[in-house]
Amino acid sequence: MTDAVRTTCPYCGVGCGVLARPDGSLVSGAADSDLRANRPSGHRALVSGAADSDLRANRPSGHRTLVSGATDSDLRAIRPSGHRTLTGDPAHPANHGRLCSKGSALAETLDDGVRLLHPIVGGQGASWDEALDLVAARFRETVAAHGPDAVALYVSGQCLTEDYYVANKLMKGFIGTANIDTNSRLCMASSVAGHVRAFGEDVVPGVYEDLEEADLVVLVGSNLAWCHPVLHGRIAAARTARGTRVVVVDPRATATADGADLHLAIAPGGDVALFAGLLVHLDTAGAVDRGWLAAHAAGFDAALAAARETAPDLARIAAITGLAAEDIARFYAWFAATPRTVTIYSQGVNQSSAGTDKVNAIINCHLATGRIGLPGTGPFSVTGQPNAMGGREVGGLANQLAAHMRFDQPEDLDRVRRFWGAPNLAERPGLKAVDLFAALRDGRVKALWIIATNPADSMPRAGLVREALAACPFVVVSDCWPTDTTERAHVVLPAAGWGEKDGTVTNSDRRISRQRAFRAPPGEARPDWWMLAEVARRMGFSEAFAWTSPAAVFREHAALSGFENDGARIFDIGAFATLTDAAYEALDPVRWPLPAGGSGEGGRLFARGGFPTPDGRARLVPLRWRPPAARPDAEFPLLLNTGRLRDQWHTMTRTGLSPRLMAHESAPFVALAPGDAARIGAADGGLLRLTSAEGAALLRVAISRAQRPGEVFVPMHWTDAFSASGPVGRLVGAATDPVSGQPELKATPVRAEPVPVRWRGLLLHRRAVRPEGVHWSRVPAGAGHALALDGTEPLPAALGEFAARLLDLPRTADWIELADPSRGAWRFAAMQDGRLEACLFLAAGPDGAARLPQGAALAALLGGAVADAARGALLAGHSAPGGGAAERAICACFGVGVTTLRAAILDRRLMTTDAIGAALGAGTNCGSCLPEIREILRDTHADAA
């Protein structure tokens, strides 16, 4: 791929390199102008991929959404076919050419037909000048009338560093408020706070190579195999090469726990006690490096005394953690005896009302042993978003200033004020995410700009967040796609997305990589940094926001990092302050720190001390265990945990466009232990109403031995656009960590009640309809969408009227029906001008799903002509020739489903995962499907025996 553009994946914080062809073949052979030329005349496309009624129905009253006259399938049909080419970058040091299932499917998500294309003001199309003038005027008027703290920005770890820098400078430097927070508050804030308490600065001390050089890897609250598969693959390779031991600390038996040397299924909130006990054991076992502590750290005695109070003996630790004493002892012995130990932690640690203490409990053990900054050692926070680290570098969190400088340091305030020429610099921290939306709801914040995130779904207490957005006098949203948040905005700005904008991101081991454009933004979409700078100029700050390229923004960011630094702050990329545009364009992935005048790139940190604290010493923090903020009780006896799935990302605005990424798990579910299911009378595949103090959701049941008794798990991804269940954030409370402000997303008390299923259904439709009065979940399929339906009330007598409401088609449509009441089966199809618009299959009883046809295969017929002679076959559920049957995907990278896998195991007598990989490819790319393949391999041979 000599003509490939080197860029960086837009998903997690691993920061994988991607090669993309710049000739448009990644998308299709069609340019934007080709698509516009084929749109029906008289239609101005502001949002496409849906009919007017779809979006109007979900828009606040008085708002009209302008859409194109073409459906998704129309737009796809008029695109010339083209080969899409995207691969991992073998030269990138983060992934060496490997991509996970999501990264491998990126080409499938570049569909302009579902994008926001033009600015929208009050539901009407507007020019960029009209929209930006309004945003600037309303922000300026709000500040004048109510003060700078009456406005806010809520941004995202998917912003590029350049976007983040401009946003932070505008708010903190020139509007004069620190009310700019980021969705990184939901994933990384506790790690940031823990780093600052221990090291004096938010710094990850290790590098990815440490994962391969460690003799013991401890994974705490991290399902690395699914959430960071490429890193998990590097550890798996190290296990093969050097026999690395792996310990997983996680309440659930996840894919990461599968095959680990030791899985500690810890009770939620038990991490501080577990690592306090480890600190005590390290002291007792003589594993504390007192020489290193004396030279480079402070606070060990106080930290040890506090640990002894929390964890005086194994019995007490076992009581708090729910673990067997012998398993705890084994973990402690391995840790004490293994100098090369890396502890990786992620959302299971961070998303807690004691998240910062959990982080420091882990770091205390590494500081006590001096296992930091040396090969194969260290605490390692893995980030969940592509640029959570870059956002922290520029000050994207409300409690940060800029370039790792702090509000509580007067000299830092003076330094940033002089560098920016900003006399109105904010001097105190702003509102963190949960508090920000509370202030929006009670009227303290009166103007909000949301960028590249979907808080109407992703925030805890999502119902109250939606009320807050509705109550706010002025809401602006910049995004690539219509979302549940854009529906609630007064102004919607179409943003350039991945593959269309230029900038940088920083991954979990401090490596800065370029995201490069390889396709033109669709419609009038523009980069976020440009929108922010344009608003700043319109507010009267032209001189300070006069950049003409992201390279110019990056140079200023680099210059600020080195400004009067002199080694006081670890974050220093001053070497890039004079980077030319050509050098910026050619920039290779490189790790900081990179001070001016230095050579090479940054590496491991703190092996010989040098912490950015007044005395140069790290701090061990005295900690005392406390339980989660809310505890189960008689009313809410179960504890809800939320998290990610293997093939999905955030609220599915991108991954939900890919049929193969939806094939592994096609609907939201609640996983619960077999004993809990039996106690409440829940059946696998049935429906369960989950209720908390905040809200309720109806979900399909997945009985799983991976769950601890008394706990349930619901994936975080689904929204109103993909399921009647809506976001699980509606159920989650708003307890936060007192230091970091990060919400507790993994410990919400709930109750579960089974709901009878009266019938099952399948609805295939060209449009992304949202049926009312039934439980549904949607996936993209063929030339439209497939919706699985569950009825909680008996099918009505007036079944034709009921079907008409579900099909949501005009009376002019040509209808055909097939009824078989003796089998409890009814089937309907509707044609418009001889082409199939929708079809509906209904089957009575909770076991009705077994009598429904395969939706993915039939969906290929949508939009196509159906001859009279073929209509009977259609209602019989027969697909097009070669359509095949859909199956649940196991390996998304190579499209291998469970039926294919089982057949190959038996027919070819495959006995190992290596043999399966050689035969089918499954498991040979990112490896995240290997735990499921192993389970299927065992079960298939057991069934055949």
Side-chain angles (χ1 to χ4, degrees):
M1 292 182 68
T2 57
D3 59 344
V5 172
R6 296 180 64 194
T7 187
T8 310
C9 180
Y11 289 124
C12 76
V14 175
C16 295
V18 175
L19 297 177
R21 286 180 57 174
D23 60 2
S25 62
L26 180 61
V27 185
S28 73
D32 291 353
S33 56
D34 297 329
L35 294 178
R36 282 195 295 269
N38 286 280
R39 289 192 177 112
S41 62
H43 288 265
R44 186 178 182 193
L46 297 182
V47 184
S48 58
D52 296 44
S53 55
D54 294 332
L55 294 180
R56 266 206 306 271
N58 294 282
R59 186 69 62 170
S61 63
H63 288 257
R64 185 170 69 88
T65 302
L66 301 186
V67 300
S68 74
T71 64
D72 295 17
S73 53
D74 292 331
L75 290 176
R76 279 194 289 270
I78 59 176
R79 289 191 178 114
S81 62
H83 179 64
R84 300 181 176 191
T85 307
L86 185 151
T87 63
D89 183 353
H92 198 290
N95 62 316
H96 301 294
R98 286 203 164 193
L99 293 175
C100 72
S101 60
K102 295 182 290 293
S104 299
L106 272 168
E108 299 170 26
T109 69
L110 300 177
D111 183 355
D112 294 348
V114 292
R115 290 285 296 276
L116 292 165
L117 301 175
H118 303 272
I120 303 170
V121 174
Q124 303 289 335
S127 69
W128 270 109
D129 282 337
E130 290 170 326
L132 296 173
D133 285 347
L134 177 62
V135 174
R138 290 296 297 269
F139 267 61
R140 186 171 55 245
E141 291 163 3
T142 302
V143 170
H146 304 286
D149 288 338
V151 301
L153 260 64
Y154 186 62
V155 294
S156 167
Q158 293 177 76
C159 292
L160 302 185
T161 299
E162 293 76 2
D163 304 326
Y164 256 129
Y165 182 85
V166 179
N168 193 56
K169 181 178 179 180
L170 172 61
M171 291 298 287
K172 290 174 184 164
F174 288 83
I175 290 177
T177 179
N179 284 349
I180 170 174
D181 210 40
T182 165
N183 62 8
S184 298
R185 181 71 59 191
L186 308 185
C187 63
M188 298 311 305
S190 292
S191 284
V192 173
H195 291 159
V196 172
R197 288 206 300 192
F199 308 143
E201 189 176 335
D202 175 23
V203 178
V204 174
V207 298
Y208 284 162
E209 288 72 21
D210 291 325
L211 311 185
E212 299 160 322
E213 298 181 35
D215 295 318
L216 174 65
V217 173
V218 182
L219 293 129
V220 189
S222 169
N223 189 5
L224 203 75
W226 277 17
C227 301
H228 303 89
V230 170
L231 291 186
H232 187 261
R234 294 178 70 159
I235 294 171
R239 292 187 76 187
T240 301
R242 56 184 291 128
T244 306
R245 273 180 174 157
V246 174
V247 175
V248 173
V249 183
D250 196 304
R252 300 168 59 227
T254 63
T256 306
D258 180 85
D261 297 281
L262 179 62
H263 173 215
L264 300 176
I266 193 168
D271 308 80
V272 169
L274 180 67
F275 283 90
L278 176 58
L279 187 64
V280 172
H281 176 81
L282 293 170
D283 181 63
T284 303
V288 171
D289 190 336
R290 295 189 178 274
W292 192 91
L293 285 172
H296 302 304
F300 173 74
D301 291 340
L304 181 62
R308 290 190 188 282
E309 290 182 24
T310 285
D313 52 45
L314 279 179
R316 173 63 174 161
I317 301 165
I320 293 174
T321 62
L323 300 171
E326 55 268 30
D327 288 340
I328 299 171
R330 183 181 299 113
F331 166 49
Y332 288 177
W334 287 356
F335 195 108
T338 312
R340 287 190 173 223
T341 296
V342 171
T343 304
I344 299 171
Y345 54 94
S346 192
Q347 313 306 4
V349 167
N350 295 324
Q351 291 175 339
S352 166
S353 57
T356 306
D357 285 357
K358 292 181 180 183
V359 170
N360 284 114
I362 293 167
I363 293 174
N364 281 351
C365 295
H366 281 271
L367 292 175
T369 53
R371 296 175 186 172
I372 187 169
L374 297 170
T377 70
F380 206 117
S381 162
V382 288
T383 53
Q385 294 193 82
N387 203 29
M389 180 78 78
R392 288 144 58 184
E393 293 163 4
V394 306
L397 291 165
N399 54 304
Q400 298 175 320
L401 183 54
H404 285 201
M405 288 180 274
R406 299 167 55 162
F407 281 107
D408 61 359
Q409 301 295 324
E411 60 273 21
D412 284 351
L413 289 168
D414 176 66
R415 184 175 297 116
V416 175
R417 182 182 289 112
R418 287 185 287 110
F419 182 87
W420 277 344
N424 198 35
L425 184 77
E427 296 185 347
R428 64 179 186 277
L431 294 168
K432 299 168 184 174
V434 171
D435 295 332
L436 171 60
F437 283 96
L440 197 71
R441 187 166 178 261
D442 65 28
R444 284 174 288 153
V445 171
K446 301 178 185 299
L448 174 67
W449 189 350
I450 298 167
I451 300 176
T453 187
N454 188 14
D457 294 319
S458 59
M459 284 289 294
R461 297 196 300 182
L464 292 182
V465 169
R466 293 171 181 215
E467 290 180 16
L469 292 169
C472 184
F474 189 63
V475 176
V476 183
V477 179
S478 310
D479 211 321
C480 300
W481 300 275
T483 68
D484 292 338
T485 301
T486 62
E487 288 175 3
R488 291 159 171 84
H490 300 90
V491 177
V492 178
L493 303 176
W498 180 79
E500 300 155 7
K501 60 182 183 177
D502 273 298
T504 57
V505 293
T506 306
N507 73 354
S508 293
D509 78 337
R510 294 178 275 115
R511 187 172 298 279
I512 298 170
S513 297
R514 288 276 280 110
Q515 274 198 15
R516 294 180 172 91
F518 54 85
R519 64 192 298 261
E524 293 183 274
R526 297 290 182 269
D528 292 303
W529 75 266
W530 176 87
M531 302 180 208
L532 289 156
E534 284 294 319
V535 168
R537 292 167 188 153
R538 286 164 165 81
M539 293 183 71
F541 311 131
S542 295
E543 186 176 345
F545 293 83
W547 312 287
T548 59
S549 69
V553 179
F554 183 76
R555 282 191 289 270
E556 183 176 315
H557 164 55
L560 177 57
S561 76
F563 183 59
E564 298 178 352
N565 191 328
D566 301 321
R569 304 181 301 280
I570 301 296
F571 176 64
D572 185 346
I573 56 171
F576 295 142
T578 58
L579 201 68
T580 65
D581 287 359
Y584 177 81
E585 177 55 34
L587 185 65
D588 286 326
V590 63
R591 186 190 296 117
W592 61 261
L594 294 155
S599 59
E601 68 172 6
R604 300 178 178 91
L605 299 170
F606 306 142
R608 296 178 178 84
F611 295 93
T613 57
D615 60 4
R617 295 173 177 268
R619 301 289 189 268
L620 285 85
V621 181
L623 305 166
R624 289 167 179 81
W625 171 81
R626 63 181 186 275
R631 306 292 297 276
D633 57 22
E635 183 179 8
F636 301 113
L638 300 170
L639 208 57
L640 168 64
N641 179 8
T642 66
R644 294 181 175 176
L645 296 182
R646 188 190 74 187
D647 295 343
Q648 293 305 329
W649 174 252
H650 284 199
T651 59
M652 296 164 56
T653 49
R654 183 185 295 278
T655 52
L657 302 174
S658 168
R660 67 167 158 144
L661 293 182
M662 297 292 287
H664 181 241
E665 296 291 351
S666 61
F669 60 86
V670 51
L672 70 165
D676 291 327
R679 178 176 53 81
I680 65 176
D684 199 45
L687 290 180
L688 201 66
R689 178 172 287 108
L690 212 59
T691 306
S692 74
E694 302 293 340
L698 196 62
L699 298 155
R700 283 205 179 174
V701 175
I703 298 174
S704 170
R705 297 187 183 279
Q707 289 298 123
R708 279 173 48 94
E711 299 167 19
V712 299
F713 173 82
V714 177
M716 61 169 279
H717 309 289
W718 273 264
T719 69
D720 289 348
F722 288 94
S723 173
S725 304
V728 70
R730 285 181 174 140
L731 277 68
V732 176
T736 58
D737 181 286
V739 181
S740 70
Q742 183 157 355
E744 186 152 65
L745 303 182
K746 295 185 173 291
T748 300
V750 296
R751 68 172 176 269
E753 302 159 297
V755 176
V757 178
R758 307 297 186 183
W759 55 269
R760 307 279 193 179
L762 170 66
L763 173 61
L764 304 175
H765 212 295
R766 295 187 72 190
R767 293 183 284 114
V769 294
R770 302 184 187 186
E772 296 182 0
V774 300
H775 182 264
W776 59 270
S777 57
R778 176 181 68 82
V779 298
H785 309 269
L787 289 83
L789 310 179
D790 300 298
T792 59
E793 299 291 337
L795 286 167
L799 202 53
E801 294 179 10
F802 178 69
R805 288 197 302 273
L806 291 178
L807 289 166
D808 188 29
L809 288 169
R811 295 183 180 275
T812 56
D814 182 16
W815 286 65
I816 55 174
E817 303 178 17
L818 175 64
D820 188 353
S822 64
R823 296 181 61 244
W826 296 266
R827 303 186 171 193
F828 306 83
M831 262 76 65
Q832 190 82 30
D833 299 325
R835 296 182 179 276
L836 182 63
E837 290 293 320
C839 46
L840 173 66
F841 302 84
L842 302 174
D847 60 347
R851 303 194 301 277
L852 297 175
Q854 293 288 345
L858 278 174
L861 300 175
L862 288 169
V866 179
D868 291 345
R871 293 185 176 191
L874 171 65
L875 289 182
H878 298 161
S879 63
E887 54 179 327
R888 180 174 179 268
I890 299 300
C891 177
C893 297
F894 291 100
V896 179
V898 62
T899 305
T900 301
L901 187 58
R902 286 173 177 156
I905 290 170
L906 294 174
D907 295 345
R908 306 188 196 186
R909 299 181 181 180
L910 305 177
M911 304 301 294
T912 66
T913 55
D914 286 343
I916 290 171
L920 302 176
T924 61
N925 184 37
C926 70
S928 61
C929 59
L930 285 172
E932 278 189 279
I933 292 176
R934 281 192 286 269
E935 182 178 0
I936 292 168
L937 186 65
R938 289 192 297 265
D939 292 348
T940 302
H941 284 300
D943 292 343

